Amino acid sequence: MRLQHVLILVALAPTALSAQQARPWQSTDYYRLTVVSDPKLAPDGRRVAFVVTTVVEDKDRRHNEIWMARTDSSAAPFRYTSPSTEAANPTWAPDGSLLAFSSKREGSDDDIWFLRTSAPGGEAFQIKGVHALPIFSRDGQWLLYSWRGDEPDSLKKETWRNRVSPTAITRGADPKRFDGRVYTSIPIVGDERGYLAPRETRRPNHLYVVPLAGGKPRQLTSGEFNQTSPAWSPDGRMIAFEQDTSETREVREDGWPALFIYTLADSSTRALATGYPQSSNPAWSPDGRTIAFTCSKGRGMKNDVCVVPATGGTARNLTADWTLDPNGVTWSPDGKTLYFFAETSGNVHLFSVAS
């Protein structure tokens, strides 16, 4: 295995100070910091969309905008979304004609918006049926996303103190004398999961698709577990995703999460055996024959970059003799190289390995 150190991404861009202005850092300098993050290269390689975060001192909050820059530096970077709203998570359509992004805007229940990129300007619009940040199919005709579904009206109307699981053995003491809550599961802090919601209020994420023209979303998966990190196959016939079959257990096992393949033609789902207790973040090779993923031998063990045939088989660990923890695996267009990030000495760098 040969790893190549490729690039350092500069993420912080504070207001420049000349040598004559150099002075010790002050707490108020925080308000002058501009953070540049989440760069997304356009399919033609000529533009890059990225998020610019500033601090609004008088409102004690951060403000996110999406900016655009040309990769040949022929023009200055410019703001692409309205400064009056928040915007983040830029995502390009395969032909570069649309940019999807998340933005909370008054009067809309959904936070996903789109901009046409053929020319600067224009109004942001929504596509009916898109309720979460989508992943475009390679032909650009379908939008795939993972979503919890609408909150039931019963949960919207009931307050926490009135919610009692139908499986509870008692409704508790007289509410006029005791304002406690009845639980049928114990919310705890799970390893790498945070605070667990009570079982009776849990709504797992499932996979949905909707045509680019918009419409009623088609639910692909179901059940009590979350299906996340979906990835289209290059031919658009299958979707790889991850699912953690231990996430509903308050005492977690080491075997989580695992990879699955959904076939659209017959709505079937099959497990993709990898031989690793933890497999996540699937990424299809350009020819659709191989899936790269983040693999680990168990809780507390380091991550590695692995590949496995899309039809199943023995997984290969490409970074077994490497000491860093890789993440964010991406294929090169020719399928011969895998790129990923890893942290070293407090900095995040880009690396590559032959597939």
Side-chain angles (χ1 to χ4, degrees):
M1 180 197 69
R2 181 175 179 271
L3 288 170
Q4 180 183 0
H5 190 172
V6 181
L7 176 68
I8 299 176
L9 178 64
V10 178
L12 289 178
T15 302
L17 293 175
S18 67
Q20 291 77 12
Q21 295 174 311
R23 56 173 173 73
W25 175 269
Q26 298 178 4
S27 59
T28 53
D29 289 332
Y30 167 77
Y31 298 107
R32 304 172 64 189
L33 284 178
T34 297
V35 179
V36 178
S37 63
D38 200 13
K40 297 293 177 61
L41 192 65
D44 61 7
R46 297 178 179 178
R47 295 167 292 175
V48 59
F50 56 96
V51 177
V52 173
T53 303
T54 53
V55 180
V56 184
E57 182 176 0
D58 58 343
K59 295 184 179 180
D60 193 26
R61 64 175 179 84
R62 295 180 178 87
H63 176 68
N64 297 318
E65 298 173 351
I66 294 175
W67 283 55
M68 194 79 71
R70 296 193 63 84
T71 54
D72 61 4
S73 301
S74 60
F78 59 94
R79 180 187 290 111
Y80 210 72
T81 57
S82 171
S84 63
T85 59
E86 298 287 322
N89 303 308
T91 302
W92 290 93
D95 63 359
S97 64
L98 289 178
L99 188 74
F101 61 98
S102 59
S103 177
K104 291 185 179 296
R105 302 192 177 196
E106 187 176 355
S108 174
D109 294 331
D110 293 314
D111 299 336
I112 306 305
W113 295 78
F114 298 81
L115 276 170
R116 294 182 175 86
T117 62
S118 55
E123 292 293 331
F125 64 95
Q126 294 186 298
I127 295 178
K128 184 179 179 181
V130 178
H131 301 296
L133 193 68
I135 300 171
F136 290 85
S137 59
R138 180 164 291 191
D139 62 6
Q141 297 306 302
W142 292 92
L143 302 172
L144 166 69
Y145 57 91
S146 177
W147 182 47
R148 298 178 62 196
D150 286 319
E151 185 178 30
D153 290 338
S154 59
L155 294 183
K156 294 178 182 178
K157 296 176 182 178
E158 295 177 351
T159 64
W160 254 109
R161 298 202 181 279
N162 291 331
R163 290 180 190 171
V164 179
S165 170
T167 61
I169 60 173
T170 177
R171 295 196 65 85
D174 184 347
K176 295 180 180 179
R177 301 179 58 190
F178 174 69
D179 63 356
R181 304 173 186 173
V182 176
Y183 288 99
T184 58
S185 64
I186 303 175
I188 60 172
V189 176
D191 290 345
E192 301 179 16
R193 291 186 289 179
Y195 190 78
L196 304 183
R199 186 183 298 114
E200 54 267 28
T201 65
R202 189 174 176 274
R203 303 197 327 273
N205 279 55
H206 299 310
L207 303 185
Y208 295 79
V209 291
V210 67
L212 183 64
K216 182 179 180 180
R218 172 187 169 192
Q219 183 175 339
L220 304 180
T221 58
S222 58
E224 62 177 330
F225 303 116
N226 284 304
Q227 291 97 29
T228 58
S229 303
W232 286 103
S233 63
D235 60 11
R237 297 179 180 179
M238 293 179 285
I239 297 168
F241 64 91
E242 66 179 72
Q243 176 177 280
D244 181 0
T245 55
S246 70
E247 65 188 0
T248 57
R249 304 173 190 174
E250 291 169 359
V251 178
R252 199 176 202 181
E253 296 178 353
D254 277 345
W256 57 271
L259 300 184
F260 293 81
I261 303 291
Y262 179 89
T263 302
L264 280 86
D266 59 6
S267 302
S268 64
T269 300
R270 61 178 172 88
L272 182 63
T274 66
Y276 282 84
Q278 298 179 17
S279 305
S280 59
N281 301 312
W284 294 82
S285 62
D287 62 9
R289 297 179 180 178
T290 307
I291 293 178
F293 62 100
T294 303
C295 55
S296 175
K297 294 181 179 179
R299 183 183 303 173
M301 306 292 286
K302 66 182 285 289
N303 289 337
D304 281 302
V305 175
C306 288
V307 292
V308 65
T311 54
T314 302
R316 292 187 294 118
N317 189 331
L318 304 181
T319 58
D321 59 350
W322 201 45
T323 58
L324 302 181
D325 275 339
N327 61 80
V329 182
T330 302
W331 290 85
S332 63
D334 61 8
K336 296 181 179 180
T337 306
L338 287 165
Y339 296 97
F340 49 89
F341 293 100
E343 181 179 342
T344 175
S345 302
N347 295 307
V348 177
H349 300 266
L350 181 65
F351 297 85
S352 68
V353 64
S355 61

